Amino acid sequence: MGRKTEQSRKLQKRAEAVIPGGVNSPVRAFRAVGGEPPFIVRGEGSRIWDADGNEYIEYLGSWGPLILGHAAPEVVEAVIAAARKGTSFGASNPLEPELAEVVLSAFPKMEKIRFVNSGTEATMSAIRLARAYTRRKYVVKFEGCYHGHADALLVKAGSGVATLGIPGSAGVPQEFTQFTLALPYNDAEAVDQAFKKFKGQIACVIVEPVVGNMGCVPPAKGYLDALRYITSRDNALLIFDEVMTGFRLAFGGAQEVYGTAPDMTTLGKIIGGGLPVGAYAGPAELMDMVAPLGPVYQAGTLSGNPLAMSAGLATVCYLRENRELYGRMERAAGTLVTMVAEAAKEAGVSITYNRVGSMFTWFFAEGPVTNWATASKSDTEAFGRFHRAMLEAGVYLPPSQYEAAFLSAAHTDEDVRQTVAAAREAFAVVEAK
Ligand SMILES: *Cc1c(COP(=O)(O)O)cnc(C)c1O
């Protein structure tokens, strides 16, 4: 265990005195895997460095945005150029329609887009709009899908199918989630039943078309089409939350990959290139209901911020001009995921994996993981041992079993080779306990 941790440990102490848990987003505290979170001081390409000088190959990509890797020159230059002209105006700047046009070009069914500052705001606003448009109250979401931390979306499934959701956080009154229905993912029958029980009352279904937030879980064959059919049948809206999958799985996101078109799309992460951005998009008929054109209120002091727009624009334009990157990332991720799985098998460790494009999870579980019920059977203790051993070996994975990992365009074959070698060592530790 040669890794130095003194500086990070000091910083964590200092942070804990003034920030709850020392972190500004809970999973960063490493509570789900044990061990101590390194403080990161620098990133370049596929690598990051912590306050003690340790170097890691990393598969977090800031939880998704950094598809071009850390400090991608195109993005850094664009942000510097924008910053020189001023950091914020609270008035419109030319980068806003420019990014809007490029993003919309990737999603043929979406005609207009509104930029906000986070994925949380994007989904919250999209649901407000869906409720206004349909004049209905109920929202269907799926267990294990995460759509940010708005009250009505922080909901766990109640027991049984098509029952009312229960608040997933203290501080959320039951009344605030009474119109949220939480159903199992990949179960079209449950959605059909809910729509029969609440006929004419469901405003929208919101779904991660490929789930990243219970670990990577792809949709079963025909599942997204079933959601499309059931929502259309009852004049409800279908919202694809592509905050993670947009520009990740393909230039046109999961809707391009699976060929199912939602009514609204929420975006974030990659379209901000590592700066804070979210967005929601849909047909003009819907989007024109948003203020100032319509009665649905939604605003933001820093929305459309020029630095965020410039980083997003640099990232998305780079992807548009280099679409072969998707094939390359997919092949590299495929090699990585299967070779690590083989190493696990050789070490006698039970894992199963899911991967779509450059997004993946190794579940310490037996059998296929298709929803929260199967994902939650994972051996999180074993994952924690694996995570800590990988960190020691210089590989930084998402610090929870229930988060997707990402390979970026900056990862090389050598990165993959080193990661597989590290995993081989790590599985020996996992097995030994
Ligand atoms: C990350 C994420 C969000 C929340 O975005 P924030 O910017 O963290 O608020 C919402 N939905 C999905 C699918 C996400 O992956």
Side-chain angles (χ1 to χ4, degrees):
M1 301 276 161
R3 195 170 60 99
K4 290 199 206 89
T5 57
E6 194 189 333
Q7 295 306 322
S8 282
R9 205 174 290 172
K10 268 191 203 158
L11 285 162
Q12 179 65 20
K13 274 233 167 65
R14 184 174 156 194
E16 277 174 10
V18 287
I19 300 171
V23 292
N24 284 309
S25 198
V27 74
R28 296 179 195 170
F30 275 42
R31 296 285 160 97
V33 289
E36 294 159 330
F39 273 64
I40 308 305
V41 296
R42 190 167 82 82
E44 191 184 331
S46 61
R47 311 265 166 158
I48 51 174
W49 287 265
D50 71 16
D52 290 280
N54 302 301
E55 178 177 337
Y56 307 91
I57 304 173
E58 71 101 52
Y59 295 93
L60 189 69
S62 187
W63 301 96
L66 302 184
I67 193 165
L68 302 182
H70 292 268
E74 297 78 8
V75 179
V76 173
E77 293 308 319
V79 173
I80 290 171
R84 286 220 164 87
K85 296 181 191 165
T87 54
S88 180
F89 308 117
S92 297
N93 72 80
L95 295 169
E96 294 169 79
E98 209 179 326
L99 181 58
E101 284 163 12
V102 184
V103 170
L104 289 173
S105 76
F107 298 93
K109 286 281 166 64
M110 308 294 129
E111 295 169 338
K112 288 195 179 178
I113 186 167
R114 170 61 67 81
F115 290 111
V116 292
N117 301 296
S118 67
T120 296
E121 279 181 73
T123 58
M124 192 177 80
S125 308
I127 280 168
R128 184 180 302 149
L129 179 51
R131 282 174 161 156
Y133 180 80
T134 58
R135 298 167 192 249
R136 297 174 180 181
K137 288 179 185 167
Y138 285 91
V139 169
V140 169
K141 80 170 288 282
F142 300 99
E143 217 184 344
C145 286
Y146 177 69
H147 306 291
H149 62 89
D151 283 342
L153 291 170
L154 274 186
V155 169
K156 291 194 238 179
S159 55
V161 163
T163 55
L164 299 181
I166 53 170
S169 165
V172 179
Q174 175 79 65
E175 289 84 351
F176 286 24
T177 62
Q178 65 181 316
F179 298 116
T180 308
L181 306 168
L183 305 181
Y185 183 75
N186 264 337
D187 182 349
E189 183 55 35
V191 181
D192 191 52
Q193 278 180 37
F195 270 84
K196 282 180 178 142
K197 188 166 167 188
F198 294 92
K199 192 168 164 46
Q201 299 176 70
I202 297 172
C204 62
V205 168
I206 185 165
V207 64
E208 287 183 72
V210 172
V211 190
N213 288 292
M214 56 175 142
C216 178
V217 179
K221 196 165 188 303
Y223 178 64
L224 298 175
D225 284 335
L227 295 182
R228 177 68 284 177
Y229 173 76
I230 294 165
T231 46
S232 298
R233 189 182 63 191
D234 196 43
N235 297 314
L237 301 183
L238 178 60
I239 304 173
F240 276 5
D241 182 357
E242 298 227 43
V243 168
M244 188 182 286
T245 53
F247 297 96
R248 164 62 61 182
L249 304 182
F251 191 69
Q255 50 201 278
E256 179 186 314
V257 174
Y258 294 93
T260 306
D263 298 299
M264 261 198 280
T265 303
T266 53
L267 295 160
K269 297 193 170 121
I270 289 176
I271 63 159
L275 271 79
V277 178
Y280 59 111
E285 182 198 2
L286 219 75
M287 296 303 291
D288 285 349
M289 286 187 74
V290 177
L293 294 185
V296 178
Y297 192 70
Q298 182 270 307
T301 301
L302 294 175
S303 293
N305 173 268
L307 304 197
M309 296 292 105
S310 68
L313 198 55
T315 303
V316 173
C317 287
Y318 191 88
L319 292 169
R320 185 181 57 182
E321 275 128 48
N322 298 276
R323 292 203 200 190
E324 75 283 356
L325 288 178
Y326 286 103
R328 240 181 54 208
M329 287 188 288
E330 165 139 39
R331 280 190 297 280
T335 305
L336 172 67
V337 167
T338 52
M339 288 189 73
V340 167
E342 273 167 34
K345 202 169 171 193
E346 281 164 26
V349 176
S350 291
I351 68 164
T352 180
Y353 62 81
N354 286 331
R355 180 189 63 78
V356 182
S358 57
M359 166 176 165
F360 57 91
T361 301
W362 295 292
F363 290 97
F364 284 68
E366 303 197 27
V369 172
T370 57
N371 55 20
W372 179 241
T374 44
S376 62
K377 291 208 177 83
S378 301
D379 182 347
T380 53
E381 295 293 323
F383 177 81
R385 289 194 295 276
F386 177 64
H387 187 274
R388 295 193 296 274
M390 290 296 271
L391 202 65
E392 284 300 326
V395 178
Y396 191 112
L397 297 171
S400 164
Q401 172 70 94
Y402 303 117
E403 301 284 0
F406 305 99
L407 185 136
S408 80
H411 285 79
T412 61
D413 291 348
E414 179 56 20
D415 288 330
V416 169
R417 201 195 58 73
Q418 283 182 29
T419 305
V420 173
R424 219 168 252 131
E425 306 280 315
F427 284 127
V429 177
V430 171
E431 187 51 14
K433 305 232 160 118

